[in-house]
Amino acid sequence: MPHHSWRLVLVLAGAAAATGGAAAASDGAPAVDPAPRKVDGARGCVETIRFGVVDGIAPLSVAPATAWLDDAPDLCFAWYRQPSGPVALEKISNGDLDFATMGSVPFTTAIERGAPVSAIGILAIQLSAEGLATRYGLQEPRSLRGSTIATVRGSTSHYMFEAFLLETGIDPRDVTLVFAAPKEITRLWDAGAIDGAACWTPTLDHVLATPHGATGTPALVVYDAETLRRWGYRTGVLLVARDDFVARLPDVAQRVVERVVRAAYAYNTNPNSFDWTAGRYADVVGRSFWLELGNETTFSRAAVAEILTRNTWPGILEQMGFRGTMGAAILRRQAAFLFAQKDLAETPYEDAAPYLDRIDISFLSEARLLQYETIPLDADPDPVPDFVPYAVRAQMPVPGEGCESFTVLDDENATFDDGSTGEHAYARNANCVWALRAPATGCVALDVPFLSSEGVRDRVEVFSATGDLRATFFGRRGGHPTTVGCVVADAPPPGVAAALVGGAAPDIEGVGLYVRWSTDDEDELAMGAIEPVGFRATARAIEPQERICGPGRGGALCDAPYCVGVVEVTGEGGVIKTQVADDAYQPNSRCAWRIPARGGRVVLDVARLGLERVRDVVTIYDGGAAPPGFNTLARPPPVDVFGRTNELSRRTRYRMSGTHAPSTPLVFDNDVFVTFESDGIANGPRDGGPAGLEIRWRRDVVDGDLCPEAASCGRNGRCEEGVCVCDTGYYGETCAFDTCVGAAPWRVAPSGRIVSNAGADYSPGQFCGWPLNIPGREGESIAGIRLRFDRFDIEAPEGQATTTDRAVVFYSVGPQQGSVLCIFRRVMSQQGQTSAGAAVDPATDETKFTFDDGDTLEVLLPEPAAAGANVQLMLGFETDANNHRPFSGFDVTYGVAFDGPAFCDERWPCAEGEVCEDDRCVDEKPRKSKHSRSRRQLRRMKRGVIVAMIVFACVIGLAFCVFGGIYGARVVRTKDELETERVRVVRDQVDSARQWVEDFQAPFCVVAADTFIALGALRPHEALRDGPRDADDDECDKQHTRLEFYDSVDDVERARRGGAVFVFLSHQWLGHAHPDPAGIHYKAMCRALQAVAEDAGVALSAVRAWVDVSSIPQANQATQSLAVASLPTFASCVDYFIVVAPDTEHVTTGCGCDAATYRKRAWCRAEVVACWARRGADRMFVATNRGLRPLFVDTGDGVDTYLEECLEVFAGDLTCCRLQHPDGEPCDKEALVPPFLGLIAELYRDRKQRPEAWEMVSDRVDELFPRTFSYESGGAATTLPLFGDLVEAVTRLVDSESAGDAPPDLVLRGLAPGTTGQRHVAAKAHRGGARSESGRRLASTPTSTTAGP
């Protein structure tokens, strides 16, 4: 059996290719009350174990169709198909499943969000079963720019796609990513709405087998999971179990794990046997797989055999090996991705313990002790049975079965259900409504004795006669509380039935309750011990009764230990709680409390707030009307959050999550509607502590003041005229929040100031709004609003980190309410070094312009408002699930913009030459003369002045004619002299640059590969040059301490002809004091040199290695500077160029160092480009943890985006720039100008022999070789010349030399010189070179310093 020492795997029946990602519930999740497990008389099942599997084939797939795991007469297994790992995670977290298979990325989500689950086995490492397929023509990485790709959010496919973009240098913002379920992905592909899909089998197979819906072209694979695994992105498929189930039935978990390893071993020992390719096991595996897909008739054994080869199936030792530092590192890296993609709200764990605690290998250890793995499948104990007739079928809906869209029930005791019969699945896409008329008693009670559905997506909802949500039931949990509804005294609002049906339906009188059954288009297609599904409900008459439930209890009879639906709060005070116990609240909760003010004030004191951050939310609305989701008449908002009904936006006073409760009570002078919503994963704070919400409320009599005492405004505000006036950046009626938390009160003023938060970081997961009522001005129209962001510091996309944080201006009321006028985001520069605000067109999502702090912006209305009319706008601020670092938010000053004279006040002063009068900017009037004169005197003076001016002009003109000619001749002569000097400088710089690359500026020092390998570690230049300094110094044997020196390129060529092979080892330093403190790079270098010797067919002794610390002098700074300046020339004369970049960390900074960080460095880029420019890409490699692989991905023309990024040498990171050039030292960019100018000359000269190389740079000359650069030193920035016009000078000279038709000096006229590398080298030598970006010095004494990574 092949050995895969550390690989990630997963255990499942038929989920080898599965991935997916969701989140998980807390360790303290409530013990779910399971629905009654069916007792199957024919099979003798006492309890049915629910096993969720994701599409795919695995050796364990022999189980569903043979009942191999069943243990009659006790336990039977039901196998439920799951569309993705995220969905499976949600269902196992809330108790609907006992076991589930999912990708490693969703399992990482489970760990990070505290789900009550653990991985008990690892089933598969994906090879070709998962990947990216795109329509023909989009197979090159760079061709993905502008494309639309679909994937499942939070899945391993999603993770691998983002990793591919990172590795190939594609900006994620250049690709439109569509998140969809696998079934929807196939529809989008068939319709031509997407260009490709990152997914797994069988969705991947469908894309590859079906022509693109728009172009008709076939799809091709861009990468698969095996490719990403070699690049260091390890994923796999895991078997996950609920912790409470494992504690209750550990023998069942042991049996499942044993069957997993036994099936994997049976396949691995003989995958090409008849049983697995065309016989018995291929049969049962195929039946299981095709039943999962809803096809009960056909399958191909050959297809089964082929799909099984797309993954590897680890044995016991491989699975157990995952529980270690390597496994924790894999999961931690995936957690960082999920955090960057906003799928996690909390910062990922830094240590390994939380990850290792969730990997349970105890069952694998037991199986190993029993040597269970090696037992053949057809041998005792527990051989695989033959087909079991009742197992070889899938639970599917039957055409014609279902329920009516609208039914009125008048019976006092009525029973109704979803319409499915027997063990058939219920209908997909159902939306059935029952109107339960109340009998003579006036009230009706609803009981749901049976419900088994596919989680929250298929559910029963109960509504009152007025449309309020009374209860929601879903999943496979029993114990649903009774719901009671009574006929309302007043006529109920019209349209409740029509809103529930989603179409025409009559208003029914005398209704006590409405019941709605809705399902989606997915189907679990259960196999094995099939259970009845759907629901059955009964309605019965009941006498009116008023029950006041205790805190945390719900249901009409107070029989639920958790909140249920909308509750009408009565009395003058009390306690609101989400559940009775303090350990965890219910998953997928939708609870609300309506608190009427009744002429008084409502005071809410939040005594406890213990929610999962961002995912589970408490929202407090001003007013008693229910928001969407809690009343069927409340229209749900459009997709865009800023398009939500603006009445709702203005009513959202507070939105709270996490554990940070307000410090002072919240006071309202209106009715209050409080909602609580949770998802299906975690049911409490991630890091423990009391869970849920507890609010102590009371109703106070109105006494005219919201803050009768100064203390009621807390420390962040003051009481003025009975109202709290909050300090800047604090919010709430009592100034209890240091960040915006909902909608602020109306602002009625032509100008003002808005600050998002007072703290150092604004709150994630918020929507804040500031409604603005801009007063009009008589006779003038409002054209828009002016904004000045004095601070605009919100999250911007950086690297893999995405963000949707944004500020928006939109209409607040009127027929255009919700229409967005402008969006403001933060954007990063192409180099990711600086950021600025961006005004984005809401229609196209394109940036209209960028702005810096302090700039004034003007947002115009589509049409000016009517003269004198007010305009109601809103400034909204939406934040996503997390901030990858603290952001201080924004500070904006707004002011009205009139369609006429500009508005002015103390915030908006007038422009120079204008003054502010009556809030208008008008031209400043000229001052009047103190003494008036008669018109006659003025005319006489005017005539005299004119005559004098004419005479003076004639004299001056004559003098100018005489002296102008003399001066003009001198200027022309001086200009010619200056031009001649400039031409000389340009010619000298070009000639020097061309000579620079023709030979070395310092000796080329190398060491034989066998000598290098014998050293045991990287040694400095002087140690290898001099050998041991005394008899006691045996650090290196003398025979292994010799360097070879080559003084010219010709010397290197002669050695090459003699059989020598030269290798340039390029790497990034891993410490400030030593290039490789732990020897990680050295080991990779040794392996690389051995691989080179094998590839070249020579002995190690014939290989010559150049590596910075050994080949560049470390003690003599002047010689070192010359060698550093020669790096591009050194790199261009070797046979092999190897980037040494295994995944590791910088020992000084703790930052990661790998192939991605390597290529960000300017000097590293320079070495890569220099070798490519002269030698091509054929022998350029990268050495990582996975071994040696080509540096560039072959995309048909021999280059990829990696090279395109490396070509941007002068945009790379430089330590000298980061340190702002202390003491005014030159920039390393200047040192790179001569060698690169020489390389440009060669590329242009040889453009006909290597057209592809010149084409790579010709269209980007100004970008790649900038004319100027920004030089910063001592806090001051200056623009200095870099290349100037030297690139054009080189091309002109090359053309002139080949044509021989013009003197060189003539073709260089008019061109500006650039910087000079000689000045840089001289300055470096003079200053000691201590800060050269190459950072490639290791002095023979420990006092020397080097540049950072």
Side-chain angles (χ1 to χ4, degrees):
M1 183 180 70
H3 179 68
H4 310 285
S5 58
W6 50 265
R7 299 177 181 174
L8 172 72
V9 202
L10 188 137
V11 43
L12 117 57
T19 69
S26 71
D27 292 338
V32 292
D33 187 9
R37 306 279 183 150
K38 179 189 177 189
V39 177
D40 190 326
R43 302 183 55 191
C45 297
V46 175
E47 182 169 0
T48 302
I49 310 302
R50 294 159 179 155
F51 201 131
V53 299
V54 185
D55 297 337
I57 285 180
L60 185 61
S61 297
V62 298
T66 62
W68 188 30
L69 287 175
D70 292 13
D71 187 19
D74 296 323
L75 304 175
C76 301
F77 276 74
W79 306 82
Y80 289 95
R81 172 179 176 261
Q82 305 301 309
S84 66
V87 175
L89 177 56
E90 182 174 4
K91 290 180 182 178
I92 193 173
S93 297
N94 65 31
D96 285 344
L97 297 172
D98 303 312
F99 295 94
T101 63
M102 64 190 67
S104 53
V105 173
F107 178 64
T108 301
T109 303
I111 296 173
E112 290 291 344
R113 293 185 60 185
V117 298
S118 297
I120 61 173
I122 303 175
L123 177 65
I125 295 293
Q126 298 101 323
L127 300 177
S128 60
E130 188 168 8
L132 171 66
T134 59
R135 61 180 174 83
Y136 182 79
L138 296 182
Q139 279 64 58
E140 296 183 10
R142 58 186 172 185
S143 64
L144 291 176
R145 293 189 177 102
S147 64
T148 299
I149 305 297
T151 192
V152 178
R153 185 184 185 104
S155 65
T156 49
S157 289
H158 181 197
Y159 169 68
M160 285 190 282
F161 179 72
E162 295 287 351
F164 178 77
L165 296 183
L166 178 67
E167 288 294 321
T168 55
I170 304 296
D171 190 330
R173 292 167 290 183
D174 292 339
V175 179
T176 300
L177 203 56
V178 175
F179 296 118
K183 182 182 290 187
E184 181 62 20
I185 290 176
T186 62
R187 294 175 185 153
L188 293 171
W189 174 262
D190 293 347
I194 56 176
D195 298 306
C199 53
W200 58 88
T201 299
T203 306
L204 183 64
D205 290 346
H206 176 89
V207 172
L208 291 171
T210 307
H212 186 249
T215 63
T217 56
L220 296 175
V221 174
V222 178
Y223 67 80
D224 57 21
E226 172 67 7
T227 302
L228 271 296
R229 186 186 65 81
R230 290 197 304 268
W231 292 1
Y233 297 90
R234 306 177 180 95
T235 59
V237 187
L238 308 174
L239 173 64
V240 177
R242 278 190 62 87
D243 294 335
D244 56 0
F245 178 88
V246 170
R248 183 169 65 90
L249 296 172
D251 291 344
V252 176
Q254 183 67 50
R255 187 192 319 160
V256 172
V257 172
E258 289 172 352
R259 301 300 199 277
V260 168
V261 298
R262 187 171 167 188
Y265 182 82
Y267 176 80
N268 288 334
T269 52
N270 199 357
N272 298 317
S273 68
F274 177 80
D275 278 344
W276 288 108
T277 57
R280 176 186 177 196
Y281 300 143
D283 237 6
V284 293
V285 169
R287 287 176 185 267
S288 297
F289 182 51
W290 265 262
L291 287 175
E292 285 181 30
L293 304 183
N295 187 332
E296 297 186 272
T297 58
T298 62
F299 69 92
S300 164
R301 294 180 179 87
V304 170
E306 190 276 328
I307 293 175
L308 283 171
T309 65
R310 299 181 187 178
N311 303 281
T312 59
W313 316 102
I316 291 179
L317 292 179
E318 289 98 330
Q319 296 186 49
M320 293 177 64
F322 182 67
R323 192 186 185 279
T325 56
M326 179 62 73
I330 293 171
L331 298 177
R332 195 159 48 218
R333 184 174 188 177
Q334 294 174 4
F337 158 79
L338 291 166
F339 185 77
Q341 294 297 311
K342 309 302 179 182
D343 288 323
L344 296 178
E346 301 280 2
T347 303
Y349 294 114
E350 294 184 0
D351 60 288
Y355 302 98
L356 299 180
D357 289 345
R358 289 299 176 185
I359 303 173
D360 185 354
I361 62 172
S362 61
F363 302 108
L364 289 166
S365 299
E366 182 69 18
R368 183 188 178 199
L369 289 175
L370 297 175
Q371 296 185 334
Y372 198 88
E373 182 179 32
T374 60
I375 302 174
L377 293 184
D378 56 358
D380 289 328
D382 305 316
V384 174
D386 294 326
F387 288 121
V388 179
Y390 57 72
V392 190
R393 69 188 190 278
Q395 187 176 40
M396 300 179 66
V398 175
E401 290 190 355
C403 45
E404 299 292 334
S405 62
F406 186 66
T407 305
V408 179
L409 296 179
D410 295 310
D411 298 342
E412 290 192 3
N413 292 284
T415 299
F416 56 99
D417 57 36
D418 62 276
S420 61
T421 61
E423 293 182 342
H424 297 158
Y426 47 76
R428 303 167 184 152
N429 296 310
N431 190 73
C432 305
V433 178
W434 291 266
L436 308 183
R437 271 183 167 164
T441 58
C443 297
V444 60
L446 176 76
D447 295 300
V448 183
F450 172 74
L451 171 64
S452 179
S453 74
E454 299 179 23
V456 72
R457 293 162 180 79
D458 301 342
R459 60 181 181 258
V460 173
E461 295 170 292
V462 186
F463 297 87
S464 70
T466 59
D468 275 350
L469 177 71
R470 286 291 183 242
T472 303
F473 307 130
F474 55 87
R476 300 186 177 92
R477 294 170 292 170
H480 304 298
T482 298
T483 310
V484 174
C486 300
V487 178
V488 296
D490 300 327
V496 173
L500 289 170
V501 172
D507 292 322
I508 307 298
E509 295 183 356
V511 171
L513 291 174
Y514 289 98
V515 180
R516 178 169 64 186
W517 164 249
S518 57
T519 66
D520 62 12
D521 65 346
E522 291 286 351
D523 202 321
E524 287 184 315
L525 298 170
M527 296 181 292
I530 294 176
E531 305 174 285
V533 294
F535 84 95
R536 184 177 68 257
T538 60
R540 54 189 170 86
I542 191 173
E543 293 291 336
Q545 52 186 303
E546 183 176 354
R547 285 178 181 261
I548 300 176
C549 297
R553 291 201 165 271
L557 305 180
C558 306
D559 50 350
Y562 48 84
C563 62
V564 179
V566 177
V567 177
E568 303 286 343
V569 176
T570 60
E572 298 301 314
V575 177
I576 292 172
K577 290 184 68 176
T578 51
Q579 79 281 351
V580 174
D582 293 339
D583 53 352
Y585 42 83
Q586 280 291 101
N588 297 114
S589 294
R590 271 198 297 165
C591 309
W593 299 265
R594 182 183 282 115
I595 308 175
R598 296 177 184 169
R601 290 198 175 97
V602 177
V603 180
L604 304 180
D605 186 359
V606 183
R608 181 175 77 238
L609 186 68
L611 310 180
E612 186 190 13
R613 192 180 184 194
V614 174
R615 304 301 179 189
D616 304 336
V617 179
V618 172
T619 308
I620 303 177
Y621 297 92
D622 190 1
F630 293 89
N631 187 288
T632 188
L633 296 178
R635 296 270 63 92
V639 175
D640 192 320
V641 65
F642 291 110
R644 68 179 71 190
T645 51
N646 290 280
E647 177 187 2
L648 176 65
S649 299
R650 293 193 303 272
R651 288 182 50 224
T652 306
R653 301 306 300 273
Y654 301 101
R655 180 179 169 88
M656 297 180 288
S657 189
T659 58
H660 183 57
S663 56
T664 58
L666 311 177
V667 183
F668 301 82
D669 57 359
N670 197 359
D671 296 349
V672 175
F673 197 92
V674 181
T675 68
F676 167 64
E677 297 174 88
S678 68
D679 68 2
I681 308 300
N683 305 314
R686 183 185 73 165
D687 298 326
L693 170 73
E694 181 179 340
I695 296 179
R696 296 167 186 162
W697 73 275
R698 70 178 187 272
R699 188 181 294 109
D700 287 349
V701 178
V702 175
D703 59 4
D705 289 342
L706 279 174
C707 52
E709 300 176 4
S712 63
C713 297
R715 293 175 297 177
N716 307 315
R718 60 192 183 280
C719 190
E720 294 183 3
E721 299 179 357
V723 177
C724 288
V725 178
C726 299
D727 297 340
T728 300
Y730 289 91
Y731 291 90
E733 281 83 354
T734 55
C735 310
F737 299 90
D738 63 357
T739 183
C740 63
V741 288
W746 275 100
R747 297 183 177 217
V748 184
S751 70
R753 180 188 178 201
I754 297 172
V755 179
S756 61
N757 54 287
D761 191 14
Y762 56 78
S763 178
Q766 279 288 356
F767 171 77
C768 305
W770 293 267
L772 311 175
N773 190 345
I774 310 295
R777 196 157 61 185
E778 184 176 356
E780 295 185 28
S781 300
I782 295 178
I785 186 172
R786 286 192 293 172
L787 301 174
R788 184 179 65 247
F789 285 98
D790 297 313
R791 182 181 75 247
F792 191 73
D793 182 31
I794 69 174
E795 188 178 23
E798 296 181 29
Q800 280 190 307
T802 62
T803 183
T804 57
D805 293 0
R806 55 184 182 170
V808 171
V809 177
F810 59 94
Y811 282 107
S812 183
V813 296
Q816 292 181 302
Q817 67 174 356
S819 298
V820 177
L821 299 177
C822 193
I823 300 172
F824 300 99
R825 294 193 181 117
R826 198 74 171 169
V827 295
M828 297 297 296
S829 67
Q830 289 294 326
Q831 292 76 27
Q833 297 171 341
T834 59
S835 60
V840 180
D841 188 336
T844 63
D845 201 40
E846 295 180 354
T847 298
K848 295 193 289 188
F849 58 85
T850 59
F851 61 90
D852 295 316
D853 291 353
D855 290 350
T856 297
L857 320 174
E858 197 167 79
V859 179
L860 299 179
L861 307 179
E863 295 182 359
N870 291 7
V871 171
Q872 286 79 34
L873 302 175
M874 179 175 279
L875 175 65
F877 181 40
E878 183 193 26
T879 64
D880 55 30
N882 63 59
N883 295 336
H884 68 269
R885 61 175 177 82
F887 293 90
S888 59
F890 62 79
D891 181 348
V892 61
T893 301
Y894 69 89
V896 62
F898 286 107
D899 190 17
F903 166 80
C904 57
D905 63 4
E906 67 279 1
R907 296 187 181 92
W908 294 96
C910 294
E912 186 176 354
E914 295 179 333
V915 295
C916 188
E917 293 183 2
D918 298 327
D919 297 338
R920 293 172 172 83
C921 289
V922 298
D923 292 337
E924 187 175 7
K925 297 179 180 179
R927 299 179 180 177
K928 295 182 179 179
S929 175
K930 294 182 179 180
H931 305 285
S932 61
R933 295 179 174 84
S934 66
R935 291 183 178 180
R936 181 177 300 173
Q937 289 173 325
L938 290 175
R939 285 197 298 269
R940 186 180 300 117
M941 181 179 294
K942 184 177 180 179
R943 284 195 298 268
V945 170
I946 291 173
V947 171
M949 290 177 63
I950 292 173
V951 173
F952 180 76
C954 292
V955 174
I956 293 299
L958 180 61
F960 180 79
C961 292
V962 174
F963 295 104
I966 300 172
Y967 179 76
R970 183 176 298 173
V971 168
V972 170
R973 185 169 60 254
T974 302
K975 185 178 180 180
D976 287 341
E977 293 174 353
L978 291 174
E979 182 63 26
T980 301
E981 176 62 18
R982 182 162 53 189
V983 168
R984 185 192 63 78
V985 173
V986 171
R987 178 64 184 272
D988 289 346
Q989 289 185 329
V990 171
D991 290 344
S992 175
R994 298 175 73 177
Q995 294 171 5
W996 193 285
V997 296
E998 289 177 0
D999 220 329
F1000 304 140
Q1001 308 302 309
F1004 181 56
C1005 303
V1006 295
V1007 59
D1010 55 347
T1011 300
F1012 181 85
I1013 292 174
L1015 294 176
L1018 288 180
R1019 306 295 184 187
H1021 176 87
E1022 287 73 16
L1024 297 184
R1025 182 194 65 192
D1026 302 336
R1029 296 185 179 275
D1030 54 54
D1032 296 329
D1033 188 355
D1034 58 354
E1035 181 180 57
C1036 302
D1037 191 283
K1038 286 194 176 185
Q1039 62 181 340
H1040 294 305
T1041 57
R1042 300 186 63 83
L1043 288 171
E1044 295 182 11
F1045 293 81
Y1046 295 87
D1047 296 319
S1048 67
V1049 175
D1050 289 340
D1051 291 345
V1052 173
E1053 291 298 331
R1054 279 191 295 271
R1056 182 179 287 116
R1057 289 193 294 269
V1061 176
F1062 291 89
V1063 182
F1064 191 101
L1065 299 170
S1066 179
H1067 71 126
Q1068 178 183 0
W1069 278 39
L1070 302 182
H1072 287 166
H1074 195 285
D1076 189 27
I1080 295 174
H1081 279 185
Y1082 173 76
K1083 294 175 183 177
M1085 291 174 182
C1086 292
R1087 291 193 296 268
L1089 291 174
Q1090 291 169 339
V1092 166
E1094 182 179 352
D1095 183 71
V1098 299
L1100 273 174
S1101 58
V1103 178
R1104 301 291 184 267
W1106 186 99
V1107 60
D1108 53 7
V1109 67
S1110 301
S1111 301
I1112 294 180
Q1114 304 296 308
N1116 188 303
Q1117 302 298 335
T1119 308
Q1120 181 191 73
S1121 297
L1122 289 171
V1124 168
S1126 298
L1127 281 176
T1129 310
F1130 291 162
S1132 67
C1133 73
V1134 296
D1135 301 288
Y1136 289 83
F1137 183 95
I1138 297 177
V1139 172
V1140 181
D1143 296 347
T1144 184
E1145 292 184 351
H1146 193 278
V1147 297
T1148 307
T1149 66
C1151 298
C1153 293
D1154 52 20
T1157 59
Y1158 167 89
R1159 67 173 181 259
K1160 292 181 180 179
R1161 313 297 295 169
W1163 280 99
C1164 296
R1165 292 180 179 184
E1167 294 166 1
V1168 171
V1169 173
C1171 183
W1172 167 82
R1174 279 191 164 178
R1175 317 293 292 189
D1178 291 342
R1179 291 188 173 183
M1180 300 183 72
F1181 300 91
V1182 58
T1184 66
N1185 304 78
R1186 285 81 62 194
L1188 215 58
R1189 63 180 176 87
L1191 183 59
F1192 304 131
V1193 178
D1194 186 3
T1195 59
D1197 55 5
V1199 295
D1200 72 347
T1201 51
Y1202 190 107
L1203 176 57
E1204 288 186 334
E1205 182 177 357
C1206 286
L1207 284 171
E1208 298 173 1
V1209 173
F1210 294 88
D1213 296 342
L1214 289 165
T1215 300
C1216 64
C1217 294
R1218 177 170 58 85
L1219 299 177
Q1220 293 194 351
H1221 310 95
D1223 302 324
E1225 68 177 11
C1227 181
D1228 280 359
K1229 292 179 182 179
E1230 299 175 82
L1232 287 168
V1233 169
F1236 269 83
L1237 189 61
L1239 290 174
I1240 295 170
E1242 291 186 356
L1243 285 176
Y1244 187 72
R1245 181 195 63 198
D1246 302 332
R1247 63 190 182 281
K1248 293 183 179 179
Q1249 290 76 26
R1250 294 185 61 204
E1252 75 286 349
W1254 177 246
E1255 288 173 3
M1256 287 289 293
V1257 301
S1258 59
D1259 294 334
R1260 305 174 62 195
V1261 166
D1262 290 338
E1263 173 192 355
L1264 301 180
F1265 312 110
R1267 297 171 182 271
T1268 61
F1269 74 106
S1270 179
Y1271 176 87
E1272 295 186 18
S1273 181
T1278 309
T1279 299
L1280 297 178
L1282 193 59
F1283 277 88
D1285 294 327
L1286 294 180
V1287 176
E1288 184 176 353
V1290 160
T1291 58
R1292 286 187 185 183
L1293 276 176
V1294 172
D1295 289 339
S1296 174
E1297 292 168 357
S1298 58
D1301 56 358
D1305 290 353
L1306 184 60
V1307 300
L1308 298 179
R1309 295 185 68 85
L1311 301 181
T1315 186
T1316 170
Q1318 280 82 356
R1319 179 181 74 86
H1320 181 281
V1321 172
K1324 288 289 184 181
H1326 177 70
R1327 292 184 172 88
R1331 297 186 184 272
S1332 174
E1333 162 60 23
S1334 67
R1336 303 176 182 210
R1337 299 185 294 281
L1338 179 63
S1340 51
T1341 60
T1343 57
S1344 127
T1345 60
T1346 61

